[in-house]
Amino acid sequence: MKKLVLPLSLMVPVLIFSQHRKKDTVTSKVNDIEEVVFQKKITGKTNDLTNVKISAKEAKAVASISGGIEGLLKTLPSVNSNTELSSQYMVRGGNYDENLIYINDIEIYRPFLIRNSQQEGMSIINPDMVSSVNFSAGGFEPKYGDKMSSALNIYYREPEKFELSGEASLIGGRLSTGFASKNKKLTALFSGRYRNTNLILNTLKEDTNFNPTYWDFQSYINYHVSDKFSMSFIGYYSKNDYEMIPKEKTIDFGSQLQPIQVNIGYAGKENDQYKNMMGTFSLNYKPSDQWKFTLDNFAYQNREREYYTIQSHFKIQTFDPQTKDPVTSFDEGGQIEHARNDLFVRTYGTQFRAKFSPNINTDIEVGFKYEKENLKDLTNEWKVVDSAGYSLPRPEIDPRTGNTGDLKLLYYIAGRNNIEPTRLSAYAQYSQKFYWGSSKVFINAGARVSNWSFNKETIFSPRAQFAIKPDWESDMLFKLSGGIYYQAPFYKEIKDLDGTFNSNIKSQRSIQVILANDYEFQMYDRPFKLTTELYYKKMDNLIPYYMDNVRIRYSGKNNATGYAYGIDTRLFGEFVPGVDSWLSASYARVYENIDGRGDIPRPTDQRFRFAMFYQDYMPSFPSMRVNLTLVYAMGLPNGAPVFTDPYQYQKTLTSYKRVDLGLSKVFIDPKDKKSRSGFWSNFQELTLGVQVFNIFNIDNVVANQWVSDYNSTRIYPAPVYLTGRFFNVKLEFKL
């Protein structure tokens, strides 16, 4: 029987109808195993062959500043993020905006104006509410929307009885509660979170007053009217307030032959606010085992305010490479950065999905989605740079009088935009499992089509997946997937560098091919799985962009082509009996060609990356547990300063190296059946942990601050450092 069990990525039933088998035998076997396969399909909730499952339990345990789910995602070979303060991530050469995120099959949005990873706060995904996590790094099935890189689908759980759990740490806490009625028809789950990262931000190499506060509240309510009909509601509200008052900062950079130091003094402050709200109401009707209908009604609203006026004065000091003494010649200058940016985004609509399963091996699914969008954007942002008494760019001199011209700003972005477009989309897909000789085969194919009234563009996206499991002694699975994937434009893509919306912008396009192999084997009498994936992407209609810390600023023109390729490997298994760990490694390149000037690396060119997630415990004291995440990633090209020629500014950041450690003592384990008396009998779980972030105190760089030197007309990239070592204490409980 063991020989017929498929790997998790392919839920092919053990028995398929075959002409070579007797009818009565087939009927008997189907009746014996159909329920088992059906239960697996319900748990996975996907037929996607490219899907990777993430454990919600491991996501809660991982030592991560950015968040549990995303923190664990960043240890996968295809995912990259060279900043621990952000829950955003890049996948296979794509940028932060190219990833789909769903909660219970409803697409969600991240804030749009966030420029600095320090501003982000918490991810919308609450690990305490998660039941299962499905992630695809490319080649995903047609039911997912129009983005070029990845799809993350989170399913929230239903509590089975009353529960109360919480967490308290030096950087925040959460409190969750849930209940279920006696007949299990009504279930509800509520969770609130609070976070303040001031203590972590104080490890930055600068004298700055931070006051970042983030909190959110989520609910998931289900009512099962009958075995065939149910209703559910998801509610979400979050509020992020970020205040920063910089004072001074000293940055050392350059080389051994030319060490450079920049001393910067500041005046002014930044005050940002982000408010997000989401509500979804779903109706689920399943008249039989063959049919399932779902109607989702959703609304999303986002209000963002980015206000700052910061004046800085800098002095550039060089040193003698031999004596290390300061050189008397130096340059000094200053700059003023100002922004009054307001954004209002409202999206509401409905989507209908129908799934027909004529037998256990076949699924036919169709869906339709209607969205009404309202975007109101008020932008007023500018920057003036002064170096040695001259404004840069320097005002022109009138040769007749010798007088200089008007003061010129380095850049000025202004816009008053208000649009209310409509977006329509539909998809159809077919999934089939069958035998091909003695080999097991799975196919998933279909297409989606969408139209956006703003740019009057209709896109068609065919996609297909194929997998075969040969009847070999070795447990091998081969997969091939791909198709045409679009990056449908939204707020960021349509906004030009001058601040206006461009109705002529078109969707970026990526033609993808992914070849993969899963090899499952036993080592040290424990299960392991080695996954290897090769991929290639051919891209056109690309919109070049600049990376401003973690904000993507698009140029507003479809004037580039590009391509990406790479290899991902992941070894997953029980390195320690009873707990899962994995090693990941990848090599990836991504290039773009702007206006036919030649190939250059895109700002997200990843190259080599290695990551590890490791769990362990003390055999003699299993209540003492440890988890470790390790990441090494070669530095990204930070791209050009905004409004400059990327072909003239190609500088790579330093490599990103980080190790985070989590140590915990489990005082009460739900697996422990020992009876407890008194006050402690109320607890199901009780854990005290210590987290050490950036355990080796490595100075990582997230971006560059460009400093102008008038004397030599050079622009120096002064590094912007990330957080240092930080110790966090965390207490978790569940009643």
Side-chain angles (χ1 to χ4, degrees):
M1 189 68 180
K2 180 179 179 182
K3 182 179 179 182
L4 293 176
V5 176
L6 282 180
L8 291 177
S9 59
L10 182 59
M11 299 296 184
V12 178
V14 178
L15 183 63
I16 311 295
F17 288 105
S18 173
Q19 295 180 354
H20 301 287
R21 293 173 179 147
K22 295 182 180 180
K23 184 176 180 180
D24 57 345
T25 306
V26 170
T27 304
S28 174
K29 290 186 177 181
V30 169
N31 290 336
D32 288 340
I33 69 166
E34 185 170 358
E35 184 178 356
V36 176
V37 177
F38 184 76
Q39 291 297 326
K40 287 184 177 180
K41 291 174 68 178
I42 288 295
T43 303
K45 294 187 178 181
T46 180
N47 285 320
D48 199 320
L49 279 172
T50 64
N51 173 66
V52 175
K53 293 187 182 301
I54 302 297
S55 167
K57 182 180 179 181
E58 291 167 352
K60 289 177 61 177
V62 65
S64 170
I65 297 176
S66 60
I69 300 297
E70 290 89 345
L72 209 55
L73 279 181
K74 293 174 184 179
T75 62
L76 299 180
S78 52
V79 182
N80 190 26
S81 178
N82 286 18
T83 169
E84 65 276 0
L85 291 171
S86 174
S87 61
Q88 301 186 74
Y89 50 87
M90 301 169 285
V91 178
R92 291 178 175 170
N95 64 37
Y96 298 124
D97 300 331
E98 297 179 9
N99 306 300
L100 290 161
I101 302 176
Y102 293 85
I103 294 181
N104 287 17
D105 296 311
I106 304 294
E107 185 176 357
I108 63 174
Y109 300 89
R110 296 181 185 272
F112 297 94
L113 292 185
I114 284 179
R115 172 177 45 87
N116 193 311
S117 56
Q118 302 169 10
Q119 303 166 353
E120 278 198 40
M122 297 176 292
S123 163
I124 188 175
I125 304 169
N126 187 335
D128 197 43
M129 301 179 70
V130 171
S131 168
S132 62
V133 183
N134 298 322
F135 176 74
S136 171
F140 41 84
E141 58 188 336
K143 77 172 186 178
Y144 293 122
D146 295 304
K147 294 275 179 111
M148 290 197 300
S149 290
S150 72
L152 174 66
N153 201 348
I154 307 294
Y155 291 98
Y156 278 179
R157 64 184 178 88
E158 293 188 53
E160 298 181 356
K161 58 181 180 179
F162 174 79
E163 61 180 59
L164 179 67
S165 63
E167 173 188 303
S169 74
L170 298 179
I171 58 176
R174 65 164 170 81
L175 186 65
S176 303
T177 185
F179 70 87
S181 61
K182 290 184 178 181
N183 56 11
K184 302 296 178 69
K185 283 192 172 185
L186 177 64
T187 65
L189 188 61
F190 305 96
S191 184
R193 295 181 295 174
Y194 170 81
R195 173 172 289 198
N196 188 317
T197 55
N198 182 51
L199 293 176
I200 295 178
L201 296 180
N202 284 338
T203 65
L204 298 171
K205 291 188 170 184
E206 56 187 85
D207 185 5
T208 301
N209 289 337
F210 293 101
N211 185 26
T213 58
Y214 321 104
W215 65 272
D216 74 357
F217 176 80
Q218 297 189 50
S219 62
Y220 181 44
I221 304 171
N222 283 269
Y223 182 66
H224 300 269
V225 180
S226 66
D227 293 338
K228 298 180 179 181
F229 181 66
S230 65
M231 300 180 290
S232 64
F233 172 79
I234 296 178
Y236 172 76
Y237 178 83
S238 73
K239 187 174 185 293
N240 294 358
D241 294 315
Y242 176 80
E243 184 181 61
M244 179 189 71
I245 305 176
K247 296 181 179 179
E248 61 181 6
K249 179 168 61 175
T250 298
I251 304 174
D252 296 303
F253 62 104
S255 63
Q256 291 184 349
L257 296 179
Q258 189 184 21
I260 303 173
Q261 184 180 85
V262 177
N263 296 291
I264 307 176
Y266 295 95
K269 69 176 183 178
E270 177 175 356
N271 193 329
D272 305 324
Q273 291 184 357
Y274 309 95
K275 296 180 182 179
N276 298 323
M277 292 181 286
M278 183 186 75
T280 68
F281 179 70
S282 300
L283 302 174
N284 299 281
Y285 179 56
K286 191 173 182 180
S288 65
D289 291 341
Q290 286 75 37
W291 287 98
K292 181 180 180 181
F293 302 96
T294 303
L295 180 65
D296 300 308
N297 302 282
F298 57 88
Y300 169 86
Q301 182 172 293
N302 188 21
R303 289 184 178 270
E304 302 183 33
R305 189 188 77 177
E306 182 185 44
Y307 287 4
Y308 61 82
T309 301
I310 298 177
Q311 180 179 358
S312 59
H313 178 270
F314 62 86
K315 180 170 69 173
I316 303 175
Q317 181 75 62
T318 59
F319 298 86
D320 186 287
Q322 300 295 330
T323 64
K324 307 300 181 182
D325 295 329
V327 178
T328 55
S329 62
F330 59 87
D331 196 8
E332 61 180 320
Q335 63 186 31
I336 301 175
E337 296 179 87
H338 172 89
R340 294 294 184 270
N341 299 329
D342 291 273
L343 175 65
F344 173 83
V345 178
R346 176 182 292 159
T347 300
Y348 60 89
T350 185
Q351 67 178 18
F352 173 78
R353 291 171 290 138
K355 188 175 183 179
F356 175 56
S357 304
N359 56 63
I360 196 171
N361 304 311
T362 307
D363 289 328
I364 302 171
E365 188 172 349
V366 297
F368 173 81
K369 185 177 182 182
Y370 166 85
E371 294 176 273
K372 185 66 176 180
E373 301 162 345
N374 185 354
L375 298 176
K376 294 181 181 179
D377 171 68
L378 299 176
T379 300
N380 183 7
E381 185 176 346
W382 52 264
K383 181 177 182 179
V384 60
V385 177
D386 174 87
S387 181
Y390 294 96
S391 173
L392 297 178
R394 185 176 178 180
E396 296 180 359
I397 299 177
D398 189 335
R400 296 169 297 180
T401 62
N403 295 328
T404 59
D406 296 333
L407 175 68
K408 289 189 176 181
L409 301 175
L410 184 65
Y411 63 79
Y412 176 54
I413 306 173
R416 296 178 63 89
N417 306 291
N418 186 1
I419 62 173
E420 297 185 19
T422 299
R423 197 184 301 264
L424 301 174
S425 61
Y427 74 90
Q429 65 183 46
Y430 173 82
S431 302
Q432 177 71 55
K433 309 176 182 75
F434 59 92
Y435 268 101
W436 184 15
S438 60
S439 300
K440 302 180 181 71
V441 174
F442 180 97
I443 60 171
N444 184 356
R448 64 181 293 111
V449 62
S450 64
N451 173 271
W452 198 31
S453 63
F454 177 71
N455 62 357
K456 298 179 175 59
E457 180 188 32
T458 299
I459 55 178
F460 177 72
S461 176
R463 306 171 186 179
Q465 301 173 345
F466 173 83
I468 182 169
K469 179 176 172 50
D471 186 16
W472 294 350
E473 183 175 348
S474 299
D475 196 343
M476 289 276 194
L477 176 68
F478 298 92
K479 297 181 287 186
L480 177 66
S481 59
I484 301 176
Y485 294 80
Y486 288 89
Q487 180 75 14
F490 197 48
Y491 168 72
K492 287 188 177 182
E493 289 89 346
I494 65 176
K495 189 172 183 178
D496 288 337
L497 290 175
D498 61 4
T500 60
F501 285 178
N502 178 12
S503 61
N504 295 319
I505 205 73
K506 299 300 180 184
S507 298
Q508 304 175 86
R509 185 174 68 169
S510 170
I511 302 175
Q512 304 181 12
V513 178
I514 301 103
L515 178 63
N517 170 258
D518 292 342
Y519 173 42
E520 297 191 25
F521 58 95
Q522 294 282 326
M523 185 167 60
Y524 306 114
D525 296 325
R526 296 193 292 273
F528 285 85
K529 179 179 178 180
L530 176 64
T531 299
T532 305
E533 297 192 29
L534 296 167
Y535 66 89
Y536 178 80
K537 302 180 184 180
K538 180 66 175 177
M539 299 174 286
D540 56 15
N541 273 349
L542 292 181
I543 308 173
Y545 58 84
Y546 303 93
M547 289 191 67
D548 184 7
N549 204 309
V550 296
R551 181 190 292 182
I552 307 298
R553 291 184 181 267
Y554 292 91
S555 65
K557 298 179 181 178
N558 298 101
N559 62 332
T561 60
Y563 63 93
Y565 63 87
I567 180 172
D568 297 332
T569 60
R570 178 175 179 244
L571 178 61
F572 173 92
E574 296 184 9
F575 292 85
V576 176
V579 291
D580 294 328
S581 304
W582 58 81
L583 303 173
S584 300
S586 65
Y587 177 78
R589 299 306 306 266
V590 57
Y591 294 93
E592 66 181 348
N593 186 335
I594 305 174
D595 291 325
R597 300 173 62 185
D599 294 336
I600 57 173
R602 301 203 89 188
T604 52
D605 183 41
Q606 177 180 316
R607 296 178 293 164
F608 178 73
R609 188 173 187 275
F610 175 82
M612 178 176 66
F613 174 69
Y614 178 78
Q615 297 185 94
D616 200 355
Y617 57 88
M618 298 180 63
S620 301
F621 303 96
S623 62
M624 299 294 295
R625 301 172 185 177
V626 61
N627 70 80
L628 180 144
T629 56
L630 179 150
V631 175
Y632 168 81
M634 297 185 69
L636 297 172
N638 62 349
V642 181
F643 301 106
T644 58
D645 186 354
Y647 284 84
Q648 295 183 6
Y649 292 91
Q650 282 289 315
K651 185 174 179 61
T652 302
L653 299 175
T654 58
S655 298
Y656 182 82
K657 303 173 285 288
R658 186 177 179 89
V659 180
D660 295 325
L661 180 69
L663 304 169
S664 62
K665 164 64 177 177
V666 181
F667 292 96
I668 299 177
D669 192 332
K671 297 180 181 180
D672 189 357
K673 303 302 181 181
K674 293 181 180 179
S675 59
R676 293 177 290 272
S677 59
F679 174 76
W680 302 110
S681 62
N682 298 315
F683 287 86
Q684 295 184 34
E685 298 180 30
L686 184 62
T687 303
L688 179 64
V690 176
Q691 298 174 323
V692 187
F693 300 127
N694 194 4
I695 189 171
F696 297 114
N697 201 29
I698 298 172
D699 293 329
N700 288 307
V701 177
V702 66
N704 284 323
Q705 179 179 348
W706 296 90
V707 182
S708 303
D709 176 2
Y710 177 77
N711 290 331
S712 64
T713 67
R714 294 185 60 183
I715 300 179
Y716 295 99
V720 178
Y721 290 104
L722 286 163
T723 58
R725 185 189 296 116
F726 180 76
F727 293 86
N728 185 38
V729 180
K730 184 173 70 170
L731 176 67
E732 295 179 278
F733 72 89
K734 184 174 182 179
L735 301 179

